[in-house]
């Protein structure tokens, strides 16, 4: 079965995160934890608003570095935005099998994001691991080479116990 492409979901997530950065007052609550691995580096964005208080931390690690360093908020959001702006994305349907490692040549991002906008009847939550590609052909070639080694999503919507699309 061919893998499911997630470009539509990441395209919708991109402006939502930009809105969170630019106009956080539109959100009643949020809990965002994104970890991006790209070009051997790491960018982590953690931000939470609960009971009117915001707690945020942004850090990263340069390629081949061993020490994490705090990043400016704009830098962390820009890195995540570039990843979400890629032309194609695949997603994992479950945790990686023991011993399996994602290819560092392809950026990947773990996204755990829940939010409730002011006036919204309920909160929304997303928990997924995306792998980014330049185009659909790259994504499909990667999926073909990873058959049997990576649990890629083949049918949508993904609704597992730990990983899930919006619910």
């Amino acid at each position: 079965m061919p893998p499911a492409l997630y470009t539509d979901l990441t395209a919708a997530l991109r402006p939502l995160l930009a809105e969170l950065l630019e106009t956080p007052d539109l959100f009643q609550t949020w809990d965002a934890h994104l970890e991006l691995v790209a070009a051997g580096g790491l960018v982590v964005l953690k931000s939470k608003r609960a009971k009117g208080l915001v707690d945020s931390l942004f850090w990263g690690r340069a390629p081949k570095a061993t020490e994490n360093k705090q990043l400016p908020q704009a830098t962390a959001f820009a890195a995540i935005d570039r990843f979400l702006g890629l032309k194609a994305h695949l997603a994992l349907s479950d945790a990686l099998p023991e011993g399996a490692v994602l290819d560092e040549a392809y950026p990947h991002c773990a996204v755990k994001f829940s939010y409730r906008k002011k006036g919204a009847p309920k909160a929304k939550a997303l928990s997924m691991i995306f792998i980014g590609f330049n185009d659909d052909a790259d994504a499909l070639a990667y999926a073909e080479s990873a058959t049997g080694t990576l649990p890629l999503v083949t049918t949508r919507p993904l609704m597992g116990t730990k990983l899930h699309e919006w619910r």
Side-chain angles (χ1 to χ4, degrees):
M1 185 168 252
L5 293 171
Y6 272 91
T7 308
D8 61 325
L9 193 145
T10 55
L13 182 59
R14 191 176 187 197
L16 185 62
L17 289 173
E19 188 177 40
L20 180 64
L21 170 67
E22 296 164 8
T23 53
D25 291 340
L26 296 177
F27 294 82
Q28 184 174 334
T29 62
W30 72 78
D31 189 355
H33 184 161
L34 292 89
E35 295 187 16
L36 170 65
V37 176
L42 171 71
V43 174
V44 178
L45 180 154
K46 286 185 76 157
S47 183
K48 183 175 185 171
R49 179 180 188 171
K51 298 181 183 177
L53 299 174
V54 176
D55 184 26
S56 298
L57 185 59
F58 312 98
W59 73 91
R61 184 174 50 244
K64 300 194 187 333
T66 57
E67 214 173 287
N68 291 331
K69 294 189 179 184
Q70 195 164 352
L71 296 173
Q73 176 180 344
T75 303
F77 270 98
I80 301 292
D81 185 65
R82 279 191 305 275
F83 172 79
L84 294 174
L86 291 172
K87 301 288 186 214
H89 294 90
L90 296 175
L92 297 182
S93 63
D94 200 358
L96 287 173
E98 191 172 325
V101 177
L102 291 175
D103 189 341
E104 282 190 25
Y106 299 95
H108 45 280
C109 186
V111 178
K112 187 165 182 140
F113 181 47
S114 61
Y115 73 95
R116 182 174 182 178
K117 285 193 171 183
K118 289 183 178 174
K122 66 178 194 165
K124 295 182 108 182
L126 171 77
S127 180
M128 300 196 69
I129 301 170
F130 296 107
I131 307 167
F133 302 90
N134 291 327
D135 57 34
D136 290 355
D138 282 349
L140 295 174
Y142 178 85
E144 190 173 307
S145 69
T147 300
T149 60
L150 290 179
L152 295 173
V153 175
T154 55
T155 58
R156 291 185 62 186
L158 171 63
M159 289 295 167
T161 54
K162 291 188 178 191
L163 300 176
H164 55 84
E165 289 184 42
W166 292 116
R167 60 175 169 188

